[in-house]
């Protein structure tokens, strides 16, 4: 390796690692960047992974969300369904998707997308109600006091088939 | 020895061998392949244009210059290939590239192909991506740039690296090391700022979440100091890793970190995520670990020893 190539390689590595370090914690530092800097860094991060926040389970272990679907047929009978597969990795991915319901701007789009999927899965249903729940996990101290985990409904959306036809 | 020379010596100790980078390559490719197999089985649900979250909803949430599945579909549309078939073709190409990468056949083109085909899967499927996605992206990007095919590869057997510059190997290993230090420092600091990690609640919550549950965690309630000990140990291992890996305790620290990842896999079912972290550590500190375990730098008896 020529000295110039070595300096270039080390310099490029240093910049890359510097970017990685800058975005590595749970603090959303990109909020403080001007757009002229933020977008190029975002693009660079999308292709290299350098803009990764290593805040898995940090600073807290957040709870889990799920969606329950209640489908109503024309005769008034109802059926329940949920989005779950027989594969652990696939279910991990579905669980991640449900946590995005925590982003307020995404909620109406996600609820509708899930509702449409369920109506397609149940062609005999005329409407579907999407009930989103989060798991309330007590602390160790609360458990000792007798409190248990429970699913708490946080949102409910109804979609009729005629709205998507 | 003056500080710059000492720092250089510490940074570059046990970085001469190409085998750790090969392990990095093989492990990452295996994870990419296993993930592709899962995605194949659920491609309509998770990746389809009209899947659970249609492209028209997910893709506008990301920058238009991110490589996405709709770009792939648009590329193949003139050939009469629909969006569902485009996803299938992309997954097959991704899997085939991962196999070539694992075998070290035309390693750099295979790495580029695996990385490029992974980007639309991750960007369009970002709603379904967890920590594994980002780590895999980092690793695949490194496979594109680093000499990961110099050992344990078909390319090596074919003599394609006879005249290769050996200096790229230690530089690559050092980059992996520093990046790992960044990962653990950030993760450790972030965790240390959460009260849950000092009370043990973090471990209890992780074990209680249905998405991770491998067994009923209720028996642990009778041993809350164990939960607290595990949580605090996780924080301390990650906080001290970036410091201790540059000392004589390197092999011990890496060993305990690999143990941490194995525990994450066993207790939370996150095998692919843990495998990625394990191979990152193997790539960065494999030579040191090997030397600590077997007292020599050679990985296989027939190879010449290195310094």
């Amino acid at each position: 390796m020529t000295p110039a190539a070595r300096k270039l390689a080390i310099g490029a590595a240093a910049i890359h690692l510097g970017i990685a370090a800058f975005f590595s914690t749970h603090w959303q530092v990109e909020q403080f960047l001007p757009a002229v800097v933020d977008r190029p860094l975002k693009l660079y991060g999308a292709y290299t992974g350098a803009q990764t926040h290593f805040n898995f389970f940090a600073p807290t272990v957040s709870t889990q969300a799920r969606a329950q679907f209640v489908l109503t047929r024309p005769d008034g009978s109802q059926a329940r369904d949920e989005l779950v597969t027989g594969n652990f990795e696939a279910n991990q991915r579905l669980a991640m998707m449900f946590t995005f319901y925590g982003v307020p701007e995404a909620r109406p789009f996600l609820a509708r997308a899930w509702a449409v999927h369920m109506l397609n899965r149940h062609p005999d249903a005329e409407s579907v109600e999407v009930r989103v729940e989060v798991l309330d996990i007590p602390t160790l101290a609360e458990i000792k006091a007798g409190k248990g985990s429970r699913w708490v409904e946080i949102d409910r959306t109804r979609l009729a088939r005629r709205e998507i036809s | 020895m003056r500080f710059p020379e000492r720092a250089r010596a510490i940074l570059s100790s046990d970085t001469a061998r190409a085998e750790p980078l090969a392990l990095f390559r093989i492990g990452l490719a295996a994870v990419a392949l296993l993930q592709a197999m899962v995605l194949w089985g659920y491609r309509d649900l998770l990746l389809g244009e009209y899947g659970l979250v249609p492209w028209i909803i997910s893709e506008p949430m990301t920058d238009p210059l991110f490589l996405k599945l709709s770009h792939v579909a648009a590329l193949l549309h003139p050939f009469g290939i629909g969006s569902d078939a485009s996803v299938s073709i992309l997954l097959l190409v991704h899997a085939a590239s991962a196999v070539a990468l694992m075998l070290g056949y035309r390693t750099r083109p295979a790495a580029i192909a695996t990385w490029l085909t992974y980007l639309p899967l991750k960007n369009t499927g970002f709603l379904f991506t967890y920590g594994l996605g980002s780590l895999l992206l980092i690793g695949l990007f490194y496979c594109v740039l680093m000499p990961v095919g110099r050992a344990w590869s078909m390319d090596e057997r074919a003599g394609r690296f006879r005249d290769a510059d050996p200096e790229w190997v230690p530089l690559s290993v050092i980059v992996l090391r520093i990046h790992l230090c960044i990962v653990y420092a950030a993760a450790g600091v972030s965790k240390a700022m959460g009260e849950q990690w000092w009370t043990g609640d973090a471990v209890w919550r992780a074990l209680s979440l249905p998405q991770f549950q491998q067994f009923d965690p209720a028996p642990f309630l009778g041993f809350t100091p164990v939960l607290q000990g595990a949580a605090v140990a996780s924080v301390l291992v990650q906080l001290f890793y970036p410091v201790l890996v540059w000392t004589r305790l390197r092999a011990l620290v890496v060993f305990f970190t690999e143990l941490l990842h194995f525990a994450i896999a066993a207790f939370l079912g996150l095998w692919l995520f843990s495998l990625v972290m394990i191979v990152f550590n193997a790539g960065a500190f494999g030579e040191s670990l090997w030397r600590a375990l077997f007292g020599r730098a050679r990985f296989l008896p027939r190879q010449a020893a290195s310094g």
Side-chain angles (χ1 to χ4, degrees):
Chain A
M1 201 188 290
T2 64
R6 187 181 303 114
K7 279 185 184 165
L8 194 63
I10 291 172
I15 291 171
H16 173 77
L17 291 170
I19 293 171
F22 183 70
F23 290 104
S24 60
T25 67
H26 64 286
W27 289 299
Q28 299 294 312
V29 292
E30 44 268 62
Q31 292 174 9
F32 306 107
L33 294 175
V36 69
V37 172
D38 182 39
R39 189 160 185 236
L41 285 177
K42 202 169 280 184
L43 285 170
Y44 182 73
Y47 285 86
T48 66
Q51 208 189 31
T52 302
H53 294 279
F54 297 103
N55 58 344
F56 319 129
F57 289 158
T60 59
V61 177
S62 59
T63 187
Q64 180 178 341
R66 73 177 182 184
Q68 302 278 298
F69 302 91
V70 180
L71 298 120
T72 306
R73 298 186 192 92
D75 63 0
S77 62
Q78 290 186 331
R80 298 180 87 98
D81 201 350
E82 56 178 348
L83 279 165
V84 69
T85 75
N87 181 283
F88 179 84
E89 275 294 325
N91 288 337
Q92 278 301 314
R93 284 156 170 75
L94 290 175
M96 278 309 301
M97 177 198 64
F98 287 129
T99 62
F100 268 97
Y101 204 80
V103 178
E105 296 82 14
R107 283 182 190 177
F109 300 103
L110 288 176
R112 184 182 168 86
W114 301 338
V116 169
H117 176 81
M118 276 297 163
L119 286 173
N120 289 334
R121 192 193 268 195
H122 296 268
D124 57 336
E126 66 172 6
S127 69
V128 62
E129 193 170 70
V130 182
R131 298 174 184 174
V132 182
E133 301 169 330
V134 293
L135 186 63
D136 179 20
I137 306 174
T139 62
L140 289 168
E142 288 171 340
I143 290 172
K144 283 180 181 163
K147 188 177 176 188
S149 297
R150 62 192 184 101
W151 289 97
V152 177
E153 187 176 306
I154 59 166
D155 212 356
R156 194 180 279 205
T157 305
R158 197 164 181 279
L159 189 74
R161 186 175 294 280
R162 64 175 181 277
E163 294 176 69
I164 62 169
S165 300
Chain B
M1 201 188 283
R2 288 187 338 182
F3 178 75
E5 282 97 14
R6 185 161 167 74
R8 197 174 293 122
I10 291 172
L11 267 178
S12 58
S13 66
D14 294 337
T15 59
R17 305 294 306 185
E19 285 84 356
L21 288 178
L23 203 56
F24 179 68
R25 178 195 93 233
I26 293 166
L28 277 177
V31 171
L33 184 61
L34 288 168
Q35 181 180 244
M37 289 163 64
V38 172
L39 291 175
W40 178 264
Y42 298 94
R43 60 192 185 280
D44 292 337
L45 182 70
L46 301 178
L47 300 171
E49 183 179 5
Y50 303 106
L52 184 55
V53 182
W55 295 354
I56 200 167
I57 292 177
S58 62
E59 292 194 346
M61 292 184 185
T62 59
D63 193 290
L65 289 180
F66 287 8
L67 206 54
K68 302 189 191 71
L69 289 174
S70 58
H71 297 139
V72 177
L75 199 69
L76 297 177
H77 180 72
F79 303 97
I81 298 172
S83 61
D84 287 346
S86 298
V87 172
S88 298
I89 290 170
L90 183 77
L91 272 171
L92 287 171
V93 172
H94 179 65
S97 308
V99 170
L101 182 62
M102 200 183 325
L103 296 174
Y105 177 70
R106 305 289 178 182
T107 309
R108 201 176 303 279
I112 293 171
T114 311
W115 168 69
L116 269 179
T117 51
Y118 179 61
L119 289 170
L121 297 173
K122 182 180 182 294
N123 290 331
T124 297
F126 78 95
L127 288 168
F128 304 105
T129 305
Y130 62 104
L132 167 68
S134 300
L135 289 165
L136 191 56
L137 174 60
I138 293 169
L140 289 176
F141 176 68
Y142 281 152
C143 283
V144 169
L145 297 177
M146 293 179 176
V148 295
R150 295 263 181 103
W152 298 344
S153 67
M154 293 175 66
D155 286 346
E156 186 217 2
R157 282 188 174 269
R160 291 201 180 96
F161 299 116
R162 259 189 226 111
D163 301 318
D165 187 345
E167 240 185 294
W168 288 107
V169 171
L171 177 61
S172 300
V173 174
I174 291 170
V175 168
L176 279 184
R177 289 177 173 183
I178 295 174
H179 205 146
L180 269 180
C181 287
I182 291 169
V183 170
Y184 288 116
V189 165
S190 295
K191 287 184 173 70
M193 300 190 69
E195 191 191 335
Q196 289 180 1
W197 285 97
W198 299 104
T199 61
D201 279 290
V203 174
W204 167 249
R205 289 176 69 86
L207 291 173
S208 300
L209 289 172
Q211 72 182 88
F212 299 123
Q213 222 166 64
Q214 303 297 296
F215 51 84
D216 181 6
F220 278 104
L221 289 172
F223 304 95
T224 50
V226 172
L227 294 173
Q228 188 175 22
V232 172
S234 297
V235 176
L236 294 179
V237 163
Q238 289 173 84
L239 278 178
F240 284 109
Y241 180 104
V243 175
L244 295 180
V245 285
W246 306 109
T247 69
R248 287 181 190 166
L249 296 174
R250 169 183 292 174
L252 198 66
V253 158
V254 174
F255 172 75
F256 277 112
T257 306
E258 303 285 53
L259 212 61
L260 168 68
H261 290 302
F262 184 77
I264 289 171
F267 284 89
L268 300 181
L270 294 170
W271 289 99
L272 291 186
F273 174 84
S274 295
L275 184 56
V276 168
M277 292 308 300
I278 287 169
V279 298
F280 257 96
N281 272 281
F285 297 106
E287 189 175 333
S288 297
L289 276 177
W290 192 268
R291 196 190 290 274
L293 284 171
F294 300 106
R296 62 170 192 241
R298 287 180 298 168
F299 282 82
L300 292 171
R302 64 180 173 84
Q303 291 176 341
S306 69

